[in-house]
Amino acid sequence: MSSTSAQQILKMNSSSCVAATLSPCERQELALQVLTKTEPVTNLAKEHQVSRKFLYQQSNKANDALEEAFSPSTNNDDEVLFHLPVTKAWLFQLILSLVLICHSSFRGVVELLRDLFDFPTCVGTIHNRLTVASQSAIKVNQSQDLSAIEVGLLDEIFHGSKPVLVGIDAASTYCYLLEAADHRDADTWGYHLLNAAEQGLDPTHTIADAGSGLRAGQKEAFGDKPCHGDVFHIQHQCQTLANSLNRKAMGAQSRRQELEAKMAEAKQQGQWHPLCVRLGKARTQEKQSVQLAKDIKTLIEWLNHDVLQLAGPCHSERLELYDFIVAELQQREHLGGKQIRVLRKALKNQRDDLLAFAKVFDDKLAEIAQQFETPLFLVRQMVRFFRKQATSEAYWRSWGDLHQMLNWKFFQLHGAIQNAMKQTPRASSLVENLNSRLRSYFTLRKHLGTPYLGLLQFFLNHRQFMSSGCEERKRKSPREVMTGEKHPHWLELLGFKLFKRA
């Protein structure tokens, strides 16, 4: 073999060794340089100690990738994406998912299986499959430890004339009570709350509306454990009254305008109209109605934004403001009739329950002041800071003043107060939200039995939140939020094996 041939072989071997050590990013860069023709291929090969053949191979790969990326897409709807092993077990999962996730009726499931899967079935089969699944679901519900629940929210929802008793955890929205009953008296509530207590339910307090049976039942089950008032219902009642009085004021204004138009027409014709007396009464009535609507609206705004607002004054000041509002309503009862009297009595009877949250919040603020060795008045001043709009000048002025006074403690106090506010619920609005979700399930059934409600309770507690305004709940189920521990998918908890694409 000649020396020239030997040198060429050694050169080729060395270039192949260098090419093998190049990373994907380096190969990509070389391919781009070949495609853009910034340098001759021969120069690139010498510079990087690789062969020209290797460079052309990399440029061809890059060119193929570009052509594939920019080639017109072919939407072939008949292309097989993946194969699905349809077994009876998988069909039973589909039936459960259609009923629970898609809110489908039994007959809707029958139609879907018939049209899309060519699988004949009947309503009775679907009912039986749900009954079997509900037995496993109820066992999971009854085995759950409820000792982690600190604040319970209680309410009632009706299916026709039958009450359904509902209880959830304020922090995690875990539903620990979902029972259909014939009555909603103290004995019924007490019985079901005692059953929950056997699973470890022992909240520091609960929040509920003014239902007498509910409150009496809790007293039978938990003794003197506090049951705070729900501000949601009383605020709704206040808003209903304000809207009603506003409509009456607008009606009085319309009647006065109508009479004035008739009087003006009569004067143009030079005639005296017998509606002069009625017009005077209409003007007086309008004035009273408008003034009453304004007064009631102002009182209700004080109640909502100063008394019942979490970021508000201390408990003793709230009591004084509350009593003042009730007294002002009583003075106007003779003008507004029954509606004002009903609201005033409700406010008077529920005062201590509605303002119980203020005591809890005051205690938390006192603990924060002691923890950070900060005067309580500064902590309360920061609480008022949360009442301002973040876009207002007053907000940032307060921000600067407080930051200057508190220095490095400012952000720590800010976070501690924010957490205290999150952990001090005032209303059972979360259980109202659950009731609205339950309503879509209830409308599909003529009768609600324990198995069906047990399955619903299990599903709502073990499905993950798709999205949430609370970061700690995103992509977690209520049970995971409550216990802090992960659990298998709800279908796996019922004994099924989830399908996974290859």
Side-chain angles (χ1 to χ4, degrees), residues 68-83:
E68 182 180 354
F70 291 98
S71 62
S73 59
T74 57
N75 294 324
N76 187 2
D77 295 337
D78 294 328
E79 181 183 356
V80 177
L81 300 178
F82 58 91
H83 292 277

Side-chain angles (χ1 to χ4, degrees), residues 287-494:
K287 184 177 180 180
Q288 291 178 349
S289 299
V290 171
Q291 188 60 45
L292 179 63
K294 288 182 178 179
D295 292 346
I296 297 299
K297 181 181 179 182
T298 302
L299 291 172
I300 290 175
E301 287 179 350
W302 284 348
L303 181 70
N304 291 336
H305 299 293
D306 292 325
V307 182
L308 299 180
Q309 185 68 259
L310 185 58
C314 63
H315 181 257
S316 58
E317 293 181 13
R318 292 178 195 259
L319 289 176
E320 294 180 6
L321 291 170
Y322 192 98
D323 292 338
F324 169 77
I325 292 171
V326 172
E328 292 295 321
L329 288 174
Q330 187 172 9
Q331 291 181 9
R332 290 163 176 79
E333 282 185 15
H334 67 285
L335 298 174
K338 181 180 178 181
Q339 282 182 304
I340 298 181
R341 182 167 63 253
V342 170
L343 177 61
R344 191 265 305 171
K345 287 184 176 180
L347 288 172
K348 184 177 180 181
N349 295 334
Q350 301 177 41
R351 185 191 74 160
D352 294 336
D353 293 333
L354 288 173
L355 296 181
F357 75 90
K359 284 185 178 180
V360 176
F361 191 54
D362 286 353
D363 293 340
K364 291 182 179 180
L365 293 181
E367 292 178 2
I368 292 173
Q370 185 177 4
Q371 177 185 354
F372 292 97
E373 298 179 352
T374 304
L376 184 59
F377 78 91
L378 285 179
V379 176
R380 285 210 162 273
Q381 190 172 345
M382 181 168 281
V383 171
R384 296 190 186 96
F385 170 75
F386 284 91
R387 294 169 58 90
K388 299 179 174 63
Q389 293 291 334
T391 56
S392 65
E393 183 181 351
Y395 177 92
W396 293 107
R397 189 185 301 114
S398 300
W399 178 287
D401 294 342
L402 285 170
H403 190 276
Q404 186 175 5
M405 286 187 289
L406 296 171
N407 202 355
W408 59 271
K409 294 182 181 180
F410 176 84
F411 292 103
Q412 293 182 345
L413 278 172
H414 187 277
I417 293 173
Q418 197 170 33
N419 289 333
M421 293 177 69
K422 286 182 179 180
Q423 298 169 6
T424 311
R426 301 168 297 132
S428 60
S429 52
L430 285 175
V431 76
E432 297 291 342
N433 177 272
L434 176 66
N435 289 347
S436 66
R437 287 187 286 152
L438 290 172
R439 179 62 62 195
S440 60
Y441 290 101
F442 289 2
T443 53
L444 299 173
R445 306 286 176 262
K446 290 184 178 180
H447 304 285
L448 294 177
T450 299
Y452 181 64
L453 288 178
L455 183 60
L456 269 184
Q457 181 182 354
F458 166 83
F459 172 71
L460 294 173
N461 287 336
H462 294 86
R463 72 179 303 191
Q464 291 184 348
F465 291 104
M466 296 295 292
S467 61
S468 176
C470 301
E471 281 294 328
E472 59 271 15
R473 295 180 191 165
K474 285 184 178 179
R475 297 295 177 183
K476 294 182 181 179
S477 68
R479 176 180 164 183
E480 288 176 340
V481 177
M482 181 181 72
T483 62
E485 300 175 354
K486 286 191 170 294
H487 60 77
H489 191 273
W490 63 272
L491 283 170
E492 293 177 325
L493 288 172
L494 294 178

